PDB file of all heavy atoms in Angstrom:
ATOM      1  N   SER A 116     -11.928  20.031   8.472  1.00  0.00           N
ATOM      2  CA  SER A 116     -11.082  19.888   7.300  1.00  0.00           C
ATOM      3  C   SER A 116      -9.653  20.008   7.753  1.00  0.00           C
ATOM      4  O   SER A 116      -9.326  20.622   8.771  1.00  0.00           O
ATOM      5  CB  SER A 116     -11.420  20.818   6.189  1.00  0.00           C
ATOM      6  OG  SER A 116     -11.151  22.231   6.651  1.00  0.00           O
ATOM      7  N   MET A 117      -8.806  19.434   6.921  1.00  0.00           N
ATOM      8  CA  MET A 117      -7.312  19.532   7.129  1.00  0.00           C
ATOM      9  C   MET A 117      -6.741  20.177   5.874  1.00  0.00           C
ATOM     10  O   MET A 117      -7.041  19.714   4.804  1.00  0.00           O
ATOM     11  CB  MET A 117      -6.764  18.133   7.322  1.00  0.00           C
ATOM     12  CG  MET A 117      -5.347  18.048   7.516  1.00  0.00           C
ATOM     13  SD  MET A 117      -4.722  16.392   7.613  1.00  0.00           S
ATOM     14  CE  MET A 117      -4.205  16.181   5.902  1.00  0.00           C
ATOM     15  N   HIS A 118      -5.937  21.184   6.049  1.00  0.00           N
ATOM     16  CA  HIS A 118      -5.312  21.829   4.896  1.00  0.00           C
ATOM     17  C   HIS A 118      -3.799  21.544   4.954  1.00  0.00           C
ATOM     18  O   HIS A 118      -3.166  21.663   6.035  1.00  0.00           O
ATOM     19  CB  HIS A 118      -5.545  23.360   5.058  1.00  0.00           C
ATOM     20  CG  HIS A 118      -4.980  24.169   3.940  1.00  0.00           C
ATOM     21  ND1 HIS A 118      -3.732  24.842   4.021  1.00  0.00           N
ATOM     22  CD2 HIS A 118      -5.455  24.430   2.689  1.00  0.00           C
ATOM     23  CE1 HIS A 118      -3.554  25.489   2.864  1.00  0.00           C
ATOM     24  NE2 HIS A 118      -4.508  25.252   2.051  1.00  0.00           N
ATOM     25  N   GLU A 119      -3.213  21.149   3.830  1.00  0.00           N
ATOM     26  CA  GLU A 119      -1.878  20.675   3.817  1.00  0.00           C
ATOM     27  C   GLU A 119      -1.211  20.895   2.466  1.00  0.00           C
ATOM     28  O   GLU A 119      -1.926  20.845   1.426  1.00  0.00           O
ATOM     29  CB  GLU A 119      -1.754  19.208   4.194  1.00  0.00           C
ATOM     30  CG  GLU A 119      -0.402  18.566   4.249  1.00  0.00           C
ATOM     31  CD  GLU A 119      -0.400  17.176   4.674  1.00  0.00           C
ATOM     32  OE1 GLU A 119      -0.854  16.902   5.875  1.00  0.00           O
ATOM     33  OE2 GLU A 119      -0.024  16.300   3.941  1.00  0.00           O
ATOM     34  N   GLN A 120       0.105  21.144   2.447  1.00  0.00           N
ATOM     35  CA  GLN A 120       0.855  21.078   1.212  1.00  0.00           C
ATOM     36  C   GLN A 120       1.811  19.880   1.351  1.00  0.00           C
ATOM     37  O   GLN A 120       2.651  19.891   2.207  1.00  0.00           O
ATOM     38  CB  GLN A 120       1.724  22.368   0.957  1.00  0.00           C
ATOM     39  CG  GLN A 120       2.456  22.345  -0.329  1.00  0.00           C
ATOM     40  CD  GLN A 120       3.291  23.615  -0.530  1.00  0.00           C
ATOM     41  OE1 GLN A 120       4.205  23.857   0.299  1.00  0.00           O
ATOM     42  NE2 GLN A 120       3.019  24.321  -1.589  1.00  0.00           N
ATOM     43  N   SER A 121       1.534  18.954   0.478  1.00  0.00           N
ATOM     44  CA  SER A 121       2.352  17.670   0.524  1.00  0.00           C
ATOM     45  C   SER A 121       3.445  17.713  -0.560  1.00  0.00           C
ATOM     46  O   SER A 121       3.232  18.214  -1.634  1.00  0.00           O
ATOM     47  CB  SER A 121       1.421  16.493   0.244  1.00  0.00           C
ATOM     48  OG  SER A 121       0.528  16.298   1.333  1.00  0.00           O
ATOM     49  N   ARG A 122       4.570  17.160  -0.159  1.00  0.00           N
ATOM     50  CA  ARG A 122       5.708  17.037  -1.092  1.00  0.00           C
ATOM     51  C   ARG A 122       5.838  15.586  -1.576  1.00  0.00           C
ATOM     52  O   ARG A 122       5.680  14.637  -0.796  1.00  0.00           O
ATOM     53  CB  ARG A 122       7.015  17.452  -0.378  1.00  0.00           C
ATOM     54  CG  ARG A 122       7.015  18.887  -0.061  1.00  0.00           C
ATOM     55  CD  ARG A 122       8.415  19.345   0.430  1.00  0.00           C
ATOM     56  NE  ARG A 122       9.067  18.366   1.356  1.00  0.00           N
ATOM     57  CZ  ARG A 122      10.376  18.196   1.393  1.00  0.00           C
ATOM     58  NH1 ARG A 122      11.169  18.820   0.622  1.00  0.00           N
ATOM     59  NH2 ARG A 122      10.831  17.311   2.325  1.00  0.00           N
ATOM     60  N   PHE A 123       6.125  15.467  -2.861  1.00  0.00           N
ATOM     61  CA  PHE A 123       6.200  14.117  -3.486  1.00  0.00           C
ATOM     62  C   PHE A 123       7.533  14.063  -4.277  1.00  0.00           C
ATOM     63  O   PHE A 123       8.033  15.113  -4.704  1.00  0.00           O
ATOM     64  CB  PHE A 123       5.036  13.922  -4.461  1.00  0.00           C
ATOM     65  CG  PHE A 123       3.728  13.901  -3.755  1.00  0.00           C
ATOM     66  CD1 PHE A 123       3.043  15.087  -3.600  1.00  0.00           C
ATOM     67  CD2 PHE A 123       3.185  12.694  -3.314  1.00  0.00           C
ATOM     68  CE1 PHE A 123       1.783  15.080  -2.922  1.00  0.00           C
ATOM     69  CE2 PHE A 123       1.976  12.717  -2.614  1.00  0.00           C
ATOM     70  CZ  PHE A 123       1.284  13.859  -2.472  1.00  0.00           C
ATOM     71  N   SER A 124       8.068  12.892  -4.403  1.00  0.00           N
ATOM     72  CA  SER A 124       9.226  12.632  -5.228  1.00  0.00           C
ATOM     73  C   SER A 124       9.098  11.321  -5.906  1.00  0.00           C
ATOM     74  O   SER A 124       8.235  10.514  -5.574  1.00  0.00           O
ATOM     75  CB  SER A 124      10.530  12.764  -4.471  1.00  0.00           C
ATOM     76  OG  SER A 124      10.655  11.701  -3.568  1.00  0.00           O
ATOM     77  N   ARG A 125       9.993  11.062  -6.801  1.00  0.00           N
ATOM     78  CA  ARG A 125      10.013   9.746  -7.483  1.00  0.00           C
ATOM     79  C   ARG A 125      11.088   8.861  -6.887  1.00  0.00           C
ATOM     80  O   ARG A 125      12.270   9.330  -6.580  1.00  0.00           O
ATOM     81  CB  ARG A 125      10.367   9.965  -8.932  1.00  0.00           C
ATOM     82  CG  ARG A 125       9.174  10.477  -9.726  1.00  0.00           C
ATOM     83  CD  ARG A 125       9.573  10.471 -11.238  1.00  0.00           C
ATOM     84  NE  ARG A 125       8.609  11.131 -12.063  1.00  0.00           N
ATOM     85  CZ  ARG A 125       7.684  10.473 -12.716  1.00  0.00           C
ATOM     86  NH1 ARG A 125       7.587   9.158 -12.622  1.00  0.00           N
ATOM     87  NH2 ARG A 125       6.826  11.161 -13.466  1.00  0.00           N
ATOM     88  N   VAL A 126      10.741   7.613  -6.602  1.00  0.00           N
ATOM     89  CA  VAL A 126      11.688   6.655  -6.124  1.00  0.00           C
ATOM     90  C   VAL A 126      11.604   5.483  -7.114  1.00  0.00           C
ATOM     91  O   VAL A 126      10.509   4.902  -7.307  1.00  0.00           O
ATOM     92  CB  VAL A 126      11.403   6.135  -4.731  1.00  0.00           C
ATOM     93  CG1 VAL A 126      12.267   4.952  -4.290  1.00  0.00           C
ATOM     94  CG2 VAL A 126      11.614   7.311  -3.718  1.00  0.00           C
ATOM     95  N   ASP A 127      12.663   5.114  -7.774  1.00  0.00           N
ATOM     96  CA  ASP A 127      12.696   4.118  -8.810  1.00  0.00           C
ATOM     97  C   ASP A 127      11.554   4.280  -9.878  1.00  0.00           C
ATOM     98  O   ASP A 127      10.882   3.369 -10.288  1.00  0.00           O
ATOM     99  CB  ASP A 127      12.566   2.743  -8.179  1.00  0.00           C
ATOM    100  CG  ASP A 127      13.695   2.369  -7.275  1.00  0.00           C
ATOM    101  OD1 ASP A 127      14.839   2.786  -7.548  1.00  0.00           O
ATOM    102  OD2 ASP A 127      13.530   1.656  -6.263  1.00  0.00           O
ATOM    103  N   GLY A 128      11.369   5.572 -10.202  1.00  0.00           N
ATOM    104  CA  GLY A 128      10.356   5.933 -11.240  1.00  0.00           C
ATOM    105  C   GLY A 128       8.906   6.117 -10.733  1.00  0.00           C
ATOM    106  O   GLY A 128       8.128   6.577 -11.492  1.00  0.00           O
ATOM    107  N   ALA A 129       8.628   5.705  -9.465  1.00  0.00           N
ATOM    108  CA  ALA A 129       7.291   5.819  -9.029  1.00  0.00           C
ATOM    109  C   ALA A 129       7.127   6.977  -8.045  1.00  0.00           C
ATOM    110  O   ALA A 129       8.054   7.258  -7.246  1.00  0.00           O
ATOM    111  CB  ALA A 129       6.949   4.491  -8.231  1.00  0.00           C
ATOM    112  N   TRP A 130       5.943   7.660  -8.147  1.00  0.00           N
ATOM    113  CA  TRP A 130       5.692   8.756  -7.227  1.00  0.00           C
ATOM    114  C   TRP A 130       5.493   8.243  -5.822  1.00  0.00           C
ATOM    115  O   TRP A 130       4.753   7.270  -5.644  1.00  0.00           O
ATOM    116  CB  TRP A 130       4.466   9.542  -7.640  1.00  0.00           C
ATOM    117  CG  TRP A 130       4.752  10.420  -8.871  1.00  0.00           C
ATOM    118  CD1 TRP A 130       4.383  10.243 -10.158  1.00  0.00           C
ATOM    119  CD2 TRP A 130       5.509  11.613  -8.823  1.00  0.00           C
ATOM    120  NE1 TRP A 130       4.852  11.241 -10.949  1.00  0.00           N
ATOM    121  CE2 TRP A 130       5.559  12.160 -10.134  1.00  0.00           C
ATOM    122  CE3 TRP A 130       6.164  12.323  -7.859  1.00  0.00           C
ATOM    123  CZ2 TRP A 130       6.219  13.328 -10.514  1.00  0.00           C
ATOM    124  CZ3 TRP A 130       6.879  13.536  -8.207  1.00  0.00           C
ATOM    125  CH2 TRP A 130       6.886  13.958  -9.530  1.00  0.00           C
ATOM    126  N   VAL A 131       6.068   8.954  -4.817  1.00  0.00           N
ATOM    127  CA  VAL A 131       5.827   8.600  -3.379  1.00  0.00           C
ATOM    128  C   VAL A 131       5.607   9.915  -2.610  1.00  0.00           C
ATOM    129  O   VAL A 131       6.102  10.978  -2.988  1.00  0.00           O
ATOM    130  CB  VAL A 131       6.946   7.783  -2.789  1.00  0.00           C
ATOM    131  CG1 VAL A 131       7.061   6.414  -3.419  1.00  0.00           C
ATOM    132  CG2 VAL A 131       8.316   8.543  -2.910  1.00  0.00           C
ATOM    133  N   TYR A 132       4.863   9.727  -1.540  1.00  0.00           N
ATOM    134  CA  TYR A 132       4.658  10.890  -0.609  1.00  0.00           C
ATOM    135  C   TYR A 132       5.894  11.072   0.286  1.00  0.00           C
ATOM    136  O   TYR A 132       6.389  10.058   0.814  1.00  0.00           O
ATOM    137  CB  TYR A 132       3.470  10.576   0.243  1.00  0.00           C
ATOM    138  CG  TYR A 132       3.264  11.543   1.428  1.00  0.00           C
ATOM    139  CD1 TYR A 132       2.703  12.826   1.276  1.00  0.00           C
ATOM    140  CD2 TYR A 132       3.594  11.136   2.698  1.00  0.00           C
ATOM    141  CE1 TYR A 132       2.559  13.648   2.300  1.00  0.00           C
ATOM    142  CE2 TYR A 132       3.462  11.962   3.809  1.00  0.00           C
ATOM    143  CZ  TYR A 132       2.957  13.249   3.643  1.00  0.00           C
ATOM    144  OH  TYR A 132       2.785  14.037   4.668  1.00  0.00           O
TER     145      TYR A 132
END
Side-chain angles (χ1 to χ4, degrees):
S116 65
M117 179 186 97
H118 183 260
E119 180 176 297
Q120 182 182 59
S121 293
R122 293 187 319 144
F123 297 89
S124 69
R125 288 184 185 263
V126 171
D127 297 328
W130 285 106
V131 292
Y132 167 78

